[in-house]
């Protein structure tokens, strides 16, 4: 069983064990009452209506996403509880809805943030359910409800179908929804997409086989914090954006320090994302050097710089702040100048035909820091100061270029240095 939360970060959790514990420790009537009072059903009229909106509208907020009175959640629950009496899978999912309800309450009481959640048998359906009702709501998607919900669901709402591949599927068969795709004869789908046809049909049907298993991991890939602004609460100026970046920074800084303490890792990239009411989604990112003692002010100032690179903004629906590209502390503290020496590991790789500049575009500073540590160890017995490989140096932001040159005892030659800030796609 999977639940999906888009809160400070997007999280998928296998809550099977927690649900089974509740089933063993609480009465069925108690669980049913708790779940039905707090949970939408994915095949209710409200949910089916919310599933018809496009991917863009679902991401940016739409008029069907609004707080609901608990009486509106009652639709269909009586029948669900009756059927669940002889269906152990359904009861486990109902108990899972209670787990999610209590988790969401704990998040709000501990962090002060509200979040939405989805409960289903796999990650695809749980994520889909999670996006149906916002803000601060949750949805249960029982197996029998999947065909009802997916019938009119736009294909681009399914993972993997929001880009070129999804467009190819729609154009080949003249379909727009998951239900329409399932009406295409299976041989035709397999002929057009021999490598991905089976997966595509399973995905459109909501089958568990189409979804990756939820994997527990101790080390996160990124730290994120965000907030959505509905209706009149939308942000109208950079000053308001700055204020909320400051609000998001404190929690993000606390979690960064936890990574330093528990795992000796530090992020090397900061990203700001903004969704505007003109349906435009903007992201801006740049390197950040926090090391082991980064401050909230460092994060905030870098975030403000990223926000200003987005230009004049108005009508901000959602604002996100994230730290990513985690690297070991020892790599972050290594001297950058070691990496840029022509006799360094990077230069040696270049002589063998590799192109460090091209690799750096994907994860520039993360790669730089990681190689710096290796280069420092490899050249610890060399006394000669390294020379600067200007080709690689030019890939870095101006302030870091200047820092490296000064460390080598050279005056920065500003006219020869690039002045743009490198963006790194996540």
């Amino acid at each position: 069983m999977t639940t999906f939360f888009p809160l400070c970060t997007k999280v998928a959790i296998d809550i099977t064990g927690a649900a089974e514990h509740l089933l063993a420790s609480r009465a069925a009537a108690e669980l049913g009452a708790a779940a039905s009072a707090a949970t939408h059903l994915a095949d209710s009229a409200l949910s089916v209506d919310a599933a018809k909106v496009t991917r863009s509208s679902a991401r940016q907020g739409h008029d069907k996403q609004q707080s609901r009175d608990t009486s509106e959640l009652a639709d269909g629950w009586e029948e669900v509880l009756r059927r669940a009496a002889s269906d152990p899978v359904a009861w486990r999912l109902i108990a899972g809805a209670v787990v999610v309800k209590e988790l969401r309450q704990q998040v709000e009481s501990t962090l002060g943030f509200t979040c939405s959640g989805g409960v289903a048998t796999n990650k695809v359906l749980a994520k889909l359910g999670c996006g149906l009702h916002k803000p601060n709501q949750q949805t249960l998607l029982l197996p029998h409800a999947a065909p009802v919900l997916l019938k009119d669901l736009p294909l681009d709402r399914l993972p993997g179908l929001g880009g070129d591949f999804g467009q190819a599927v729609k154009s080949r068969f003249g379909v727009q929804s998951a239900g329409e795709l399932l009406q295409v004869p299976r041989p035709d789908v397999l002929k057009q997409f021999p490598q991905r046809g089976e997966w595509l049909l399973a995905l459109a049907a909501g089958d568990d086989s189409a979804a990756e298993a939820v994997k527990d991991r101790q080390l996160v890939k990124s730290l994120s914090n965000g907030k959505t602004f509905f209706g009149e609460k939308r942000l109208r100026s950079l000053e308001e954006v700055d204020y909320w970046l400051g609000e998001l920074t404190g929690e993000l800084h606390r979690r960064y320090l936890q990574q330093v303490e528990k795992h000796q890792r530090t992020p090397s990239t900061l990203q700001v994302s903004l969704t505007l009411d003109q349906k435009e989604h903007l992201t801006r990112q740049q390197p950040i050097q926090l090391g082991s003692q980064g401050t909230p002010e460092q994060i905030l100032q870098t975030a403000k710089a990223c926000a200003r690179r987005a230009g004049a903004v108005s009508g901000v629906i959602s604002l996100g702040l994230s730290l990513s590209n985690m690297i070991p502390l020892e790599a972050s503290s290594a001297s950058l100048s070691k990496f840029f020496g022509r006799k360094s590991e990077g230069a040696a790789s270049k002589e063998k035909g590799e192109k460090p500049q091209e690799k750096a575009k994907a994860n520039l500073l993360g790669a730089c820091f990681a190689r710096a540590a290796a280069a420092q160890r490899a050249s610890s017995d060399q006394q000669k100061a390294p020379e600067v490989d200007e080709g690689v140096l030019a890939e870095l932001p101006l302030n870091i270029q200047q820092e490296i040159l000064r460390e080598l005892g050279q005056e920065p030659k500003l006219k020869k240095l690039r002045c743009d800030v490198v963006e790194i796609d996540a």
Side-chain angles (χ1 to χ4, degrees):
M1 182 198 313
T2 300
T3 185
F4 194 92
F5 292 96
L7 53 157
C8 302
T9 186
K10 296 178 180 179
V11 180
I13 309 172
D14 185 343
I15 58 170
T16 304
E20 290 177 342
H21 174 73
L22 282 189
L23 286 172
S25 59
R26 298 191 194 178
E30 180 186 354
L31 292 176
S36 60
T39 312
H40 290 275
L41 293 173
D43 56 346
S44 70
L46 285 173
S47 296
V48 171
D49 196 29
K52 295 177 181 178
V53 304
T54 64
R55 173 188 175 91
S56 177
S57 295
R59 289 182 61 186
Q60 299 171 15
H62 54 87
D63 57 5
K64 296 181 179 64
Q65 292 180 333
Q66 53 187 288
S67 298
R68 302 285 182 181
D69 185 85
T70 55
S71 63
E72 296 184 84
L73 276 59
D75 182 28
W77 264 103
E78 183 177 352
E79 175 63 15
V80 164
L81 293 174
R82 185 187 67 78
R83 293 173 57 175
S86 58
D87 186 347
V89 173
W91 262 119
R92 190 181 296 134
L93 287 165
I94 290 169
V98 179
V99 172
V100 172
K101 169 182 174 290
E102 295 177 355
L103 282 173
R104 291 174 49 241
Q105 289 173 338
Q106 187 172 355
V107 168
E108 185 172 7
S109 64
T110 303
L111 303 177
F113 292 105
T114 60
C115 58
S116 297
V119 183
T121 57
N122 66 60
K123 186 161 59 174
V124 170
L125 294 179
K127 182 177 181 180
L128 177 60
C130 183
L132 292 177
H133 300 290
K134 299 178 182 179
N136 195 25
Q137 297 168 78
Q138 66 182 57
T139 305
L140 171 63
L141 205 163
L142 294 164
H144 74 267
V148 179
L149 184 69
L150 292 167
K151 180 177 179 293
D152 296 319
L153 183 83
L155 275 177
D156 63 6
R157 293 281 296 275
L158 293 172
L161 301 184
D164 292 341
F165 181 62
Q167 289 296 328
V169 172
K170 289 189 283 189
S171 63
R172 298 275 180 92
F173 303 120
V175 299
Q176 295 296 323
S177 69
E180 290 175 348
L181 177 60
L182 290 176
Q183 297 302 312
V184 178
R186 178 178 294 271
D188 293 351
V189 177
L190 298 181
K191 180 179 179 180
Q192 291 292 328
F193 301 101
Q195 301 299 320
R196 306 180 72 181
E198 291 287 0
W199 168 82
L200 184 60
L201 290 171
L203 181 67
D207 289 347
D208 292 350
S209 62
E212 293 182 357
V214 177
K215 298 178 181 178
D216 293 334
R217 65 170 183 260
Q218 186 179 26
L219 299 179
V220 299
K221 293 182 179 180
S222 64
L223 307 173
S224 303
N225 206 351
K227 185 170 177 61
T228 303
F229 305 91
F230 289 94
E232 294 302 315
K233 294 183 179 180
R234 294 180 181 184
L235 308 184
R236 303 296 179 183
S237 65
L238 268 176
E239 288 72 21
E240 290 183 303
V241 170
D242 287 348
Y243 170 81
W244 280 104
L245 285 174
E247 293 295 298
L248 298 176
T249 292
E251 169 64 18
L252 201 60
H253 180 260
R254 182 185 69 80
R255 291 162 59 202
Y256 141 73
L257 290 180
Q258 288 179 342
Q259 286 294 307
V260 170
E261 180 182 357
K262 294 181 180 179
H263 307 299
Q264 290 73 55
R265 303 163 78 228
T266 187
S268 58
T269 301
L270 179 143
Q271 175 175 289
V272 172
S273 59
L274 307 100
T275 301
L276 310 182
D277 56 9
Q278 298 91 348
K279 310 303 183 184
E280 184 179 9
H281 187 70
L282 305 174
T283 60
R284 296 294 184 269
Q285 54 190 345
Q286 67 186 58
I288 187 169
Q289 299 181 61
L290 294 175
S292 61
Q293 297 180 325
T295 65
E297 185 64 20
Q298 257 184 291
I299 296 174
L300 179 58
Q301 292 306 316
T302 306
K304 287 181 177 180
C306 285
R308 275 150 182 74
R309 288 172 48 222
V313 297
S314 179
V316 176
I317 296 172
S318 67
L319 178 66
L321 180 61
S322 67
L323 295 169
S324 60
N325 291 334
M326 296 289 180
I327 58 175
L329 277 178
E330 63 177 16
S332 71
S333 60
S335 170
L336 280 173
S337 61
K338 299 290 185 182
F339 172 71
F340 291 103
R342 285 200 172 97
K343 294 184 180 180
S344 71
E345 182 178 313
S349 297
K350 186 175 180 181
E351 291 174 1
K352 295 178 182 179
E354 296 181 13
K355 297 180 179 180
Q357 295 94 329
E358 292 182 2
K359 292 182 179 180
K361 290 178 182 178
N363 185 359
L364 188 56
L365 275 189
C368 289
F369 289 169
R371 290 188 179 190
Q376 187 177 40
R377 291 191 295 270
S379 60
S380 59
D381 58 341
Q382 295 182 7
Q383 301 299 319
K384 182 180 177 181
E387 299 177 353
V388 176
D389 186 328
E390 294 184 0
V392 180
L393 179 68
E395 293 290 339
L396 290 177
L398 179 60
N399 62 326
I400 298 178
Q401 296 179 32
Q402 294 172 326
E403 178 185 343
I404 293 166
L405 291 175
R406 289 193 183 98
E407 186 174 339
L408 294 174
Q410 301 179 26
E411 279 298 315
K413 300 177 181 180
L414 298 183
K415 66 179 181 179
K416 292 186 179 181
L417 300 176
R418 289 172 52 182
C419 296
D420 59 304
V421 179
V422 177
E423 284 197 38
I424 308 167
D425 292 333

